[in-house]
Amino acid sequence: DGSVSNVKVLRGVDSSLDKEAVRVVSMSPKWKPGKQRDRAVKVTYTFPVIFQLDNQKLNEYKGRPQPDGLFLN
């Protein structure tokens, strides 16, 4: 039916950011369902979630080990 379910974080940044990503993606409106032989089927998507932190939050995260591909300036 296009509803979002089973949301999980594959490579987390911080538990609070991970929880927020799951919350936001879970609230997503229904997607157009996948079709196979003209029948709706479940589909798995993997996509990045990018956060933009304000200066105060950015300073809190500086100095912490970050996963590959995440750069905090």
Side-chain angles (χ1 to χ4, degrees), residues 2-18:
S3 59
V4 176
S5 62
N6 301 323
V7 177
K8 57 185 165 183
V9 176
L10 298 181
R11 189 171 58 190
V13 177
D14 178 83
S15 63
S16 61
L17 293 176
D18 298 347

Side-chain angles (χ1 to χ4, degrees), residues 1-3 30-35 39-43 45:
D1 69 348
S3 59
K30 288 189 175 188
W31 294 37
K32 184 177 178 182
K35 295 270 185 174
R39 297 181 73 178
V41 295
K42 290 187 176 188
V43 177
Y45 287 97

Side-chain angles (χ1 to χ4, degrees), residues 4-64:
V4 176
S5 62
N6 301 323
V7 177
K8 57 185 165 183
V9 176
L10 298 181
R11 189 171 58 190
V13 177
D14 178 83
S15 63
S16 61
L17 293 176
D18 298 347
K19 287 177 189 175
E20 181 65 4
V22 169
R23 184 188 74 80
V24 169
V25 171
S26 296
M27 291 175 37
S28 171
K30 288 189 175 188
W31 294 37
K32 184 177 178 182
K35 295 270 185 174
Q36 189 172 45
R37 296 186 182 136
D38 293 326
R39 297 181 73 178
V41 295
K42 290 187 176 188
V43 177
T44 300
Y45 287 97
T46 302
F47 58 90
V49 175
I50 300 168
F51 289 93
Q52 183 171 351
L53 303 176
D54 62 24
N55 284 337
Q56 181 180 353
K57 287 290 182 187
L58 184 59
N59 288 333
E60 291 175 22
Y61 287 100
K62 279 186 178 179
R64 290 187 185 181

